[in-house]
Amino acid sequence: MPGVYARHARRIAVLTATSALAVTGLLATAPAAQASPPTPISASTARTYLSQLTVKAEGSSSGYSRDLFPHWITQSGSCNTREVVLKRDGSNVQQDSSCAAVSGSWFSEYDGATWYAASDVDIDHVVALSEAWKSGANSWTTSKRQQFANDLTRPQLIAVTDNVNQAKGDLDPAEWLPSRTSYRCTYARMWVHVKHYWALSVDSAEKSALQGILNGC
């Protein structure tokens, strides 16, 4: 347990230092963005797509389980979806024979932190699985939910700081946005791109928040 507590304390200390860009050995002065999910639609297209989305109250989470969205499936050889995104979004990533990332660096677009251990990075579903469930995915087949959870074609998956991903949870843009304000326009474009492609609904507060961001892009 001491190792767990030490790791937790280290993580908190690092996150506290992020805004000051303190020299911790884990953080670097914000470089050019490394993460590279597929480029989302433009702000103007996102505004058009947003106007086309069905607006309705968020559905119930009743019956939801992450197991209903099989994820991190094999993509090629021994590489699963998580490992593909770690390689794609990182810099100088080296993988072992089982495709696990053993070295490299990852710049988290959400908070501006740079990490040098894959264990400090989560792969975020931009539109969370639970959010999708409450927006229409509850009626999908398991096969379609698997495609959604492993979507490498749309900007649905991105490598970010694990604590930040966990804090985001299944919150929508009316409830959570990246702390890096410079990334919020991109994030809104990503969100609308994914929801439009997968024909998921938005609630009124979510739509209003997205409109506000996109109007400022």
Side-chain angles (χ1 to χ4, degrees):
M1 290 303 291
V4 174
Y5 292 133
R7 188 167 183 263
H8 180 67
R10 173 186 63 76
R11 191 74 52 72
I12 292 173
V14 169
L15 292 173
T16 300
T18 301
S19 61
L21 292 175
V23 178
T24 65
L26 289 174
L27 291 170
T29 301
Q34 297 293 333
S36 53
T39 302
I41 52 176
S42 67
S44 60
T45 299
R47 287 191 288 270
T48 299
Y49 280 11
L50 180 59
S51 71
Q52 297 170 353
L53 294 179
T54 297
V55 180
K56 60 188 295 186
E58 192 169 80
S60 169
S61 59
S62 177
Y64 168 73
S65 168
R66 287 178 66 84
D67 293 340
L68 295 172
F69 292 79
H71 53 290
W72 306 166
I73 61 172
T74 300
Q75 292 292 339
S76 64
S78 59
C79 298
N80 66 26
T81 308
R82 171 181 163 83
E83 290 151 351
V84 169
V85 177
L86 282 173
K87 175 73 171 179
R88 182 197 71 188
D89 289 4
S91 179
N92 301 315
V93 176
Q94 299 298 315
Q95 298 170 307
D96 64 17
S97 59
S98 64
C99 206
V102 294
S103 65
S105 64
W106 292 268
F107 176 71
S108 172
E109 293 281 12
Y110 288 178
D111 60 327
T114 297
W115 301 97
Y116 297 91
S119 59
D120 285 322
V121 177
D122 276 358
I123 307 306
D124 180 41
H125 288 95
V126 172
V127 175
L129 305 183
S130 175
E131 164 68 21
W133 177 268
K134 294 179 287 187
S135 304
N138 60 323
S139 66
W140 295 351
T141 62
T142 299
S143 175
K144 184 173 181 178
R145 287 192 288 262
Q146 175 176 294
Q147 293 171 33
F148 174 81
N150 297 274
D151 188 358
L152 293 166
T153 305
R154 265 63 56 182
Q156 162 68 340
L157 300 171
I158 184 171
V160 297
T161 302
D162 58 358
N163 300 68
V164 173
N165 180 52
Q166 292 152 26
K168 172 191 170 184
D170 65 353
L171 303 178
D172 69 35
E175 305 160 317
W176 185 93
L177 289 168
S179 60
R180 286 183 71 228
T181 55
S182 62
Y183 198 68
R184 290 181 180 178
C185 180
T186 301
Y187 183 77
R189 289 159 51 207
M190 294 165 76
W191 185 279
V192 173
H193 189 158
V194 171
K195 280 224 162 174
H196 186 271
Y197 179 83
W198 291 98
L200 295 168
S201 63
V202 291
D203 62 48
S204 57
E206 176 187 353
K207 181 175 182 178
S208 178
L210 288 164
Q211 284 176 326
I213 298 166
L214 293 170
N215 287 340
C217 291

